[in-house]
Amino acid sequence: MVRNIFKGLGIALITPFCEDGSVDYKSLVRLMEYQLDNGADFLCILATTGETPCLTKEEKQKIKDLVVSTVKGRVPILMGCGGNNTAAIVEELKTGDFRGIDGVLSVCPYYNKPSQEGLYQHFKAIAAATSLPVVLYNVPGRTGVNLKAETTVRLARDCENIVAIKEASGSLEQVDEIIKNKPKDFAVISGDDALTFPMISCGAEGVISVIGNALPKEFSRMIRLEFKGEYEGARKIHHRFTELFSLLFVDGNPAGVKAMLHEMGFIENVLRLPLVPTRISTLQKMSEILKELKI
């Protein structure tokens, strides 16, 4: 089995926009350097938090190239490549430009609600179409379908290059079942900032984080403390961020983290429709917490 290299703090990288709605490539470089200087172990690009459905093909290519040229091999890069048309994803994997990319993140098919057998065959076809490591992404709240633990374990056993799952089902019971039954080298990665502390304590190997865009140093420290078995120190950091976790998602993602990054002076608070900026009341609460945290 191919070994998973996506461990520790992964950043679900946002896409900054200028006031006119164009991609702010200059701010993107600045943001990546900030994250790499403050504990990011890998970057996850062109996925949900990056507002990828609202980017053009040309913009996605330019972002991918910019990330690769900025990172320069310092950390692994995981790139989103998923959808609900299996044949189209297979074609993209066979013909697309994946130079400089270390793995692909593929979300469960959304809207058409396949059965567990359909999910298995979908991901099996994706794994067969690429030599890159594949990380499954289970997020029922967005896709309308849950990749069950037994299906995840079946894929991990049958497909050598399916190396991990980003689990965002919200079920610690499901996470525990995967960890208990998975092959040795298969990894579980948290897809939910608020559940990262308990998931790592159960055996998860890291997180693909939204809050890590803004607070990589603090969130990375929590993860590293847990890896060393220093749970009390890690728990204190987790509890410091509890309210922020809720505020980040109350008006949708990435509206919350973009508002936070705007408050910190990194980006303009601009999203592309159908997403809109977080409410003023939410922004004010986040600003107050950041001041309390002295960030």
Side-chain angles (χ1 to χ4, degrees):
M1 184 175 185
V2 180
R3 281 192 167 273
N4 172 55
I5 60 172
F6 303 104
K7 300 180 180 182
L9 175 62
I11 308 294
L13 193 65
I14 65 150
T15 301
F17 298 119
C18 301
E19 285 285 3
D20 64 2
S22 60
V23 177
D24 186 350
Y25 297 103
K26 183 177 178 180
S27 292
L28 181 59
V29 171
R30 182 185 173 211
L31 189 60
M32 284 190 284
E33 291 293 354
Y34 163 70
Q35 292 159 358
L36 294 172
D37 287 344
N38 286 279
D41 295 302
F42 65 96
L43 299 182
C44 180
I45 69 170
L46 297 176
T48 310
T49 304
E51 296 177 70
T52 307
C54 299
L55 298 173
T56 67
K57 182 178 180 180
E58 292 73 23
E59 287 170 335
K60 286 187 278 189
Q61 181 67 46
K62 191 170 180 179
I63 288 169
K64 176 260 177 187
D65 290 341
L66 183 63
V67 172
V68 170
S69 64
T70 301
V71 171
K72 295 177 181 175
R74 286 178 284 175
V75 297
I77 302 169
L78 183 66
M79 188 167 82
C81 183
N84 58 356
N85 180 341
T86 309
I89 303 166
V90 166
E91 181 65 17
E92 182 179 354
L93 287 167
K94 288 181 176 179
T95 63
D97 177 13
F98 291 89
R99 290 172 298 176
I101 299 301
D102 300 290
V104 294
L105 176 74
S106 199
V107 70
C108 284
Y110 39 81
Y111 188 73
N112 42 16
K113 289 190 174 182
S115 65
Q116 293 301 303
E117 183 61 26
L119 290 169
Y120 173 82
Q121 296 296 341
H122 170 83
F123 285 120
K124 186 178 180 182
I126 286 171
T130 180
S131 60
L132 287 170
V134 175
V135 178
L136 311 174
Y137 181 15
N138 185 37
V139 56
R142 285 184 176 270
T143 64
V145 63
N146 178 40
L147 184 67
K148 293 183 178 179
E150 55 263 36
T151 308
T152 298
V153 172
R154 182 184 173 198
L155 284 162
R157 288 175 175 161
D158 293 353
C159 304
E160 186 180 53
N161 61 328
I162 293 182
V163 298
I165 183 168
K166 177 185 177 184
E167 248 296 334
S169 65
S171 170
L172 289 176
E173 182 180 1
Q174 178 159 302
V175 168
D176 199 46
E177 188 176 346
I178 296 169
I179 290 171
K180 181 175 68 176
N181 297 308
K182 70 179 181 66
K184 180 183 177 183
D185 291 330
F186 182 81
V188 174
I189 302 169
S190 171
D192 186 335
D193 285 337
L195 292 180
T196 297
F197 175 80
M199 282 182 65
I200 289 179
S201 70
C202 287
E205 295 185 15
V207 60
I208 296 175
S209 172
V210 174
I211 201 172
N213 277 280
L215 306 176
K217 186 174 183 178
E218 294 80 0
F219 211 50
S220 173
R221 176 166 168 73
M222 183 193 81
I223 293 167
R224 283 162 169 69
L225 286 171
E226 274 200 276
F227 285 165
K228 292 191 293 184
E230 298 178 22
Y231 292 104
E232 187 58 34
R235 188 181 296 110
K236 287 179 180 177
I237 297 173
H238 168 72
H239 285 153
R240 286 178 72 202
F241 291 155
T242 301
E243 191 173 358
L244 268 181
F245 291 147
S246 299
L247 291 171
L248 277 179
F249 298 97
V250 69
D251 295 325
N253 181 46
V257 74
K258 279 197 161 184
M260 188 185 299
L261 286 165
H262 177 68
E263 284 293 294
M264 296 170 70
F266 278 102
I267 64 168
E268 298 293 340
N269 192 16
V270 178
L271 295 92
R272 284 186 178 173
L273 289 171
L275 301 180
V276 295
T278 191
R279 292 170 293 176
I280 295 295
S281 58
T282 306
L283 182 59
Q284 289 172 337
K285 289 177 184 176
M286 284 196 293
S287 181
E288 290 168 6
I289 293 171
L290 288 173
K291 287 177 183 176
E292 289 174 9
L293 295 173
K294 298 180 180 179
I295 297 170

